Amino acid sequence: MRLQTKQGVSLYVCVCVHGNECINANAKYCGECIQAGAKCGWCTDPDFLKQGETVSTRCDELQSLQKRGCADAMIENPRGGQRILKNKMVTNRSKGEERREKLRPEDITQIQPQKLSLTLRSGEPQSFDLKFKRAEDYPIDLYYLMDLSYSMKDDLENVKNLGTSLMLEMSKITSDFRIGFGSFVEKTVMPYISTTPAKLLNPCTGDQNCTSPFSYKNVLKLTNDGQKFNTLVGQQHISGNLDSPEGGFDAIMQVAVCGEQIGWRNVTRLLVFSTDAGFHFAGDGKLGGIVLPNDGKCHLENNVYTMSHYYDYPSIAHLVQKLSDNNIQTIFAVTEEFQPVYKELKNLIPKSAVGTLSDNSSNVINLIIDAYNSLSSEVILENSKLPEGVSIAYTSRCKNGVVSEGENGRKCSNISIGDEVTFSISVTAKGCPKQGKSETIKIKPLGFTEEVEITLHFICECECHKDGVKNSNLCHFGNGTYECGACKCNEGRVGRQCECSSNEVATEDMDRTCRKDNGTDICSNNGDCVCGTCECKKRDNPEERYSGQYCECDNFNCDRSGNKLCGGHGRCECRVCICDPMWTGSACDCSLDTSTCLASNKQICNGRGKCECGTCKCTDAKFQGPTCETCPTCPGVCAEHKECVQCRAFGTGEKKDVCEQKCNDFKLIKVKDRDKLPQPNDASYPVMHCKERDANDCWFYYTYAVNNNTETEVHVVDTLDCPAGPDIIPIVAGVVAGIVLIGLALLLIWKLLMIIHDRREFAKFEKEKMNAKWDTGENPIYKSAVTTVVNPKYEGK
């Protein structure tokens, strides 16, 4: 896109948009338009198109058509729908009712609805809910298919009493249980078996008595007689073959497709496959010279598979298809050695299970019960092949409110008897599949015979198509069909009214009428001259259009504001903005609404300015802000913003707990020191310097200003200026020194007083001494300190 600035500089801007599928379809008639997408509509108003616009511009999104002036009644927009044709309620019985009333299998309903009809419009999904409920006491058919190769000899002994024992256990689950039995060995050709006459009679070695080898035998058709099962199985004998893998796939195929011979009913169908070996599959038959692919048909004669030598083993995919088509759930009862192989096979076969078979099959009943409970606790939906252009999506609502989409939306697990789950199914068509012919698809739970039948009808034409007039005079003397407000030209005719032949669309005379003011540019280089009339080109951006008699107009080359065409407040017509109400200017960027200029005192611009394009232009230089109410240099500004500056800059103050809510109306810029703060002479707008003190007697410095973009700016010094605290060490040292000095002084004073006192006493003594009157040689009051005592008993010896 090319833009031009006021200075005349051209700018090229790449505009990336998502395509409008309606316009990109370039639809020539209504039916083609509605197939482009669910949002597309066709304007049938004959006067809708402007000069230069092609017929395909009648096709657009609904909102765009309405915006361009097409009335709702003139917009063709058919919608899809759905009708439920059969909606029998799911069976809901209690245990007591089961005993009193025994329903036939065909009378039990586990899925609802059963039949419906969907009408699909291209791109418009149609959704419905499918309900599934596991019925109580639902009938079960179980067919036991056993490998009778020699290695299964001890297993056969335990299976001989399986009938009555399994009937007893299954009676706890259902009152309607039937059981059948079949056996298999291998294809009756080399190298799978030995074809010598003796080995064909008895393939076992030594004195072992074995029956002749065979591919598959249907020993017992499904029956509710457990004793008959025991009797017939008791009559079976082991056979033998040469290689380890067995021909079990041939047997499974025949059990699946021979429904009448096996006796399958439309109930739960279980196939128990018991073996202690691997399996042959498609391609392995070449070893025996068998190259024909398995045909998937029943070939039982007298309950024996007769075409094993003619058809190859079935492939796994072929087997999966037939098991699914016949609603058979498979239980692989295999020995521990082959568990990994059959677990991989289970992953390829939906609704199948693997159980570990003991060496002599003694645990087969518990294995079957556990596998059945596992299979029946999960429901998986599958659908038949979809018509081309039709897609289907599933959303499951399982137990405990678990919701899944995509592939997991097809299934629910851990379902018990009597549980009800719901699936939301959405069907969408793209275009008009099968030329509008109805199609039928089916959805069913794997392993169940019940299904939902859905008939699909496709909307390929508009309603107005029915009222089309062939060879209408409105289409230049009958050269086209007039339908849905436009001409649908006959082959070889072109033009809006089919007025030209396709052979004469590029003549010089016609081109002359497509040049504006006899210029050289045909259709202003923005279109093509068709039948002497300009048909304007389409842009990559479907929202951008050329128009006009000579395609000289467009709706995208108008002035812009805020990188929006016409400021987002108008529409561009022929390169001129047509502004919405309350907007003006060449780019519709000037608002006539004065409500944004109202100050808190309800005055426009606080009485100190003018409201221009919704913005105040302050006439008083001291006042700023969006409504001229801010005065950065007025007294009181610093004290008013002190708490907010303190909490945002330092996280302190009375508003620190509500700082984010009440102090977000200014831009905070931190600086290192006071010299970095904006100075009044440096800025082109008033700046107020502030000095405030916090609760700790620390000073902080900041500036308050409203810049030229009416944004409030606060520059703050990011360090506090706090008064220096007392020096503790000198104080303590001074106190200690003072105490010591005072003590010393007191001692000196005491000493001095004592000396003075002693001297006075001595002088007094001397004076008294001079005044004494007795002889200094003898003291009259002197008494001798010596006393003489004589011992009277002393004899002088």
Side-chain angles (χ1 to χ4, degrees):
M1 179 183 295
R2 185 174 67 89
L3 303 178
Q4 192 166 6
T5 65
K6 293 182 179 179
Q7 290 77 20
V9 179
S10 294
L11 301 176
Y12 291 88
V13 181
C14 177
V15 180
C16 300
V17 295
H18 294 288
N20 181 324
E21 60 183 356
C22 309
I23 294 177
N24 291 341
N26 198 25
K28 297 295 189 297
Y29 59 94
C30 187
E32 192 176 359
C33 174
I34 63 172
Q35 292 178 37
K39 298 180 180 179
C40 301
W42 177 272
C43 185
T44 61
D45 186 352
D47 302 322
F48 174 69
L49 297 181
K50 297 178 181 179
Q51 279 190 327
E53 291 185 337
T54 61
V55 174
S56 62
T57 55
R58 289 181 178 274
C59 182
D60 205 343
E61 294 182 355
L62 302 182
Q63 292 181 348
S64 181
L65 291 175
Q66 294 166 349
K67 189 176 180 180
R68 292 166 57 194
C70 189
D72 290 346
M74 304 297 288
I75 297 177
E76 192 75 16
N77 180 36
R79 312 310 300 177
Q82 55 183 264
R83 287 187 305 121
I84 297 178
L85 305 179
K86 186 177 181 181
N87 194 30
K88 184 180 178 182
M89 299 295 291
V90 293
T91 302
N92 187 16
R93 297 186 297 166
S94 66
K95 289 290 185 182
E97 291 173 327
E98 291 173 18
R99 295 190 184 98
R100 291 195 304 268
E101 178 186 4
K102 186 174 180 64
L103 294 179
R104 297 178 301 172
E106 55 269 25
D107 294 331
I108 299 175
T109 303
Q110 299 183 107
I111 192 169
Q112 179 188 358
Q114 295 80 38
K115 190 173 183 180
L116 67 158
S117 171
L118 301 182
T119 302
L120 300 178
R121 157 87 183 270
S122 178
E124 179 190 27
Q126 289 295 324
S127 301
F128 65 94
D129 286 343
L130 185 149
K131 187 187 300 182
F132 177 85
K133 183 175 182 179
R134 275 191 64 191
E136 300 188 47
D137 197 30
Y138 195 70
I140 299 174
D141 283 354
L142 186 146
Y143 191 84
Y144 197 93
L145 182 60
M146 185 175 181
D147 176 7
L148 285 189
S149 59
Y150 187 77
S151 58
M152 294 286 286
K153 180 179 179 181
D154 54 344
D155 300 77
L156 180 60
E157 294 301 320
N158 285 310
V159 173
K160 289 179 179 180
N161 297 319
L162 178 66
T164 52
S165 301
L166 188 58
M167 293 284 286
L168 180 63
E169 287 296 324
M170 293 301 288
S171 66
K172 301 174 183 178
I173 299 175
T174 177
S175 60
D176 189 355
F177 176 72
R178 300 197 310 168
I179 188 171
F181 184 82
S183 59
F184 67 91
V185 180
E186 186 55 277
K187 287 184 180 296
T188 54
V189 295
M190 283 288 290
Y192 312 111
I193 66 168
S194 175
T195 55
T196 61
K199 289 294 184 183
L200 286 176
L201 290 175
N202 184 1
C204 299
T205 59
D207 57 353
Q208 299 292 333
N209 186 21
C210 297
T211 189
S212 299
F214 57 92
S215 178
Y216 162 67
K217 287 181 183 178
N218 177 28
V219 177
L220 175 63
K221 186 176 181 179
L222 288 164
T223 178
N224 55 10
D225 187 349
Q227 189 58 47
K228 185 177 181 181
F229 179 95
N230 292 350
T231 301
L232 287 177
V233 173
Q235 298 172 1
Q236 303 304 305
H237 296 283
I238 291 296
S239 184
N241 61 319
L242 295 179
D243 62 342
S244 176
E246 314 293 2
F249 276 17
D250 274 342
I252 294 177
M253 177 62 76
Q254 293 304 300
V255 171
V257 299
C258 298
E260 184 176 347
Q261 289 88 335
I262 302 299
W264 293 119
R265 298 177 296 171
N266 285 331
V267 298
T268 297
R269 299 175 176 180
L270 299 178
L271 169 60
V272 179
F273 182 84
S274 175
T275 184
D276 64 350
F279 48 82
H280 284 295
F281 53 89
D284 289 353
K286 291 181 180 180
L287 294 173
I290 304 172
V291 296
L292 282 180
N294 195 288
D295 65 351
K297 295 181 181 179
C298 182
H299 297 288
L300 291 185
E301 293 183 11
N302 297 322
N303 287 320
V304 177
Y305 180 40
T306 59
M307 302 296 285
S308 67
H309 64 286
Y310 192 76
Y311 288 115
D312 193 6
Y313 301 98
S315 67
I316 295 175
H318 197 184
L319 212 56
V320 169
Q321 177 193 348
K322 292 302 180 180
L323 289 172
S324 175
D325 290 346
N326 292 280
N327 306 305
I328 295 174
Q329 304 177 61
T330 311
I331 300 172
F332 295 105
V334 297
T335 54
E336 182 70 33
E337 179 184 357
F338 289 93
Q339 281 286 307
V341 175
Y342 282 90
K343 284 183 178 179
E344 290 296 327
L345 182 62
K346 166 190 171 295
N347 295 332
L348 301 175
I349 302 179
K351 293 293 281 185
S352 63
V354 177
T356 302
L357 190 68
S358 61
D359 292 336
N360 58 3
S361 297
S362 59
N363 67 332
V364 68
I365 293 180
N366 291 333
L367 186 153
I368 292 173
I369 298 296
D370 292 342
Y372 169 75
N373 289 332
S374 174
L375 289 172
S376 61
S377 66
E378 183 178 52
V379 57
I380 304 174
L381 296 185
E382 68 166 0
N383 51 266
S384 59
K385 185 178 180 181
L386 298 174
E388 185 178 357
V390 176
S391 61
I392 190 168
Y394 295 86
T395 301
S396 61
R397 294 177 176 84
C398 308
K399 288 177 63 177
N400 304 320
V402 177
V403 179
S404 302
E405 297 179 347
E407 280 302 308
N408 290 330
R410 291 174 174 266
K411 61 185 179 181
C412 282
S413 302
N414 300 320
I415 302 175
S416 304
I417 293 176
D419 287 343
E420 183 175 293
V421 294
T422 303
F423 296 88
S424 291
I425 302 174
S426 180
V427 183
T428 308
K430 184 63 177 176
C432 182
K434 300 291 184 179
Q435 292 77 44
K437 294 180 181 179
S438 298
E439 290 282 339
T440 299
I441 62 173
K442 295 180 180 181
I443 300 175
K444 68 174 184 178
L446 279 173
F448 294 84
T449 57
E450 298 176 67
E451 61 187 14
V452 181
E453 183 179 307
I454 306 171
T455 304
L456 305 179
H457 305 279
F458 304 101
I459 300 177
C460 297
E461 288 289 351
C462 301
E463 287 294 323
C464 57
H465 170 73
K466 300 175 182 177
D467 302 324
V469 180
K470 291 186 177 181
N471 303 321
S472 170
N473 289 330
L474 296 175
C475 300
H476 198 264
F477 306 108
N479 286 318
T481 300
Y482 187 78
E483 66 177 47
C484 303
C487 284
K488 186 177 180 181
C489 298
N490 295 336
E491 187 176 355
R493 303 298 297 185
V494 292
R496 189 180 291 186
Q497 277 81 39
C498 311
E499 63 270 27
C500 291
S501 169
S502 57
N503 298 323
E504 55 185 26
V505 294
T507 64
E508 183 64 30
D509 291 337
M510 289 185 178
D511 287 349
R512 187 179 299 112
T513 61
C514 295
R515 295 188 177 97
K516 184 179 181 181
D517 300 330
N518 292 325
T520 58
D521 294 335
I522 295 178
C523 300
S524 306
N525 287 330
N526 295 324
D528 300 316
C529 187
V530 180
C531 293
T533 302
C534 284
E535 289 192 357
C536 302
K537 296 177 181 178
K538 290 185 177 181
R539 301 270 300 172
D540 292 336
N541 182 353
E543 300 299 324
E544 299 176 354
R545 298 183 182 88
Y546 291 109
S547 61
Q549 182 179 355
Y550 304 100
C551 301
E552 74 278 12
C553 295
D554 62 58
N555 66 344
F556 53 87
N557 266 325
C558 291
D559 290 342
R560 292 176 175 265
S561 178
N563 202 29
K564 293 183 179 179
L565 191 67
C566 297
H569 304 299
R571 65 184 186 278
C572 182
E573 292 187 3
C574 205
R575 303 185 180 183
V576 177
C577 284
I578 306 300
C579 299
D580 295 339
M582 301 300 292
W583 290 92
T584 187
S586 62
C588 300
D589 54 352
C590 182
S591 174
L592 300 177
D593 184 10
T594 59
S595 61
T596 56
C597 294
L598 287 178
S600 57
N601 57 9
K602 303 302 181 183
Q603 290 185 344
I604 292 179
C605 299
N606 197 30
R608 293 182 170 86
K610 297 182 296 183
C611 186
E612 297 180 2
C613 296
T615 303
C616 283
K617 302 294 183 182
C618 303
T619 54
D620 189 334
K622 292 193 302 180
F623 286 87
Q624 296 175 291
T627 56
C628 302
E629 292 181 275
T630 304
C631 180
T633 58
C634 294
V637 171
C638 293
E640 178 184 351
H641 296 88
K642 169 189 172 183
E643 295 294 339
C644 281
V645 173
Q646 186 180 353
C647 79
R648 285 190 58 182
F650 308 107
T652 59
E654 296 180 0
K655 293 186 178 180
K656 65 178 181 180
D657 295 329
V658 293
C659 197
E660 292 185 3
Q661 293 82 10
K662 296 188 176 181
C663 298
N664 57 1
D665 57 345
F666 61 85
K667 180 181 178 182
L668 184 72
I669 303 170
K670 292 184 178 183
V671 298
K672 292 295 183 183
D673 50 56
R674 294 172 62 182
D675 294 337
K676 302 294 184 181
L677 292 174
Q679 303 301 318
N681 296 333
D682 298 337
S684 59
Y685 44 85
V687 177
M688 184 69 175
H689 278 255
C690 301
K691 176 183 179 182
E692 296 293 336
R693 186 162 57 185
D694 63 12
N696 297 322
D697 286 335
C698 294
W699 295 94
F700 57 95
Y701 303 90
Y702 65 94
T703 62
Y704 180 87
V706 179
N707 62 24
N708 295 329
N709 296 325
T710 69
E711 296 176 343
T712 302
E713 288 184 350
V714 173
H715 289 72
V716 61
V717 179
D718 60 3
T719 55
L720 295 169
D721 185 7
C722 299
D727 195 347
I728 302 299
I729 294 177
I731 292 175
V732 173
V735 171
V736 172
I739 294 173
V740 172
L741 291 175
I742 291 172
L744 290 174
L746 290 175
L747 286 173
L748 290 173
I749 293 171
W750 176 80
K751 184 65 177 177
L752 181 61
L753 292 175
M754 291 302 295
I755 291 172
I756 293 172
H757 178 268
D758 289 346
R759 286 183 177 181
R760 284 180 179 177
E761 289 295 322
F762 184 76
K764 184 179 178 181
F765 171 78
E766 287 293 328
K767 185 178 179 181
E768 291 291 337
K769 182 180 178 182
M770 293 295 296
N771 294 332
K773 296 196 180 280
W774 64 82
D775 189 353
T776 58
E778 184 178 350
N779 187 353
I781 63 173
Y782 172 77
K783 288 184 179 182
S784 176
V786 179
T787 301
T788 302
V789 178
V790 179
N791 185 358
K793 295 292 183 178
Y794 178 69
E795 294 180 354
K797 288 181 181 181

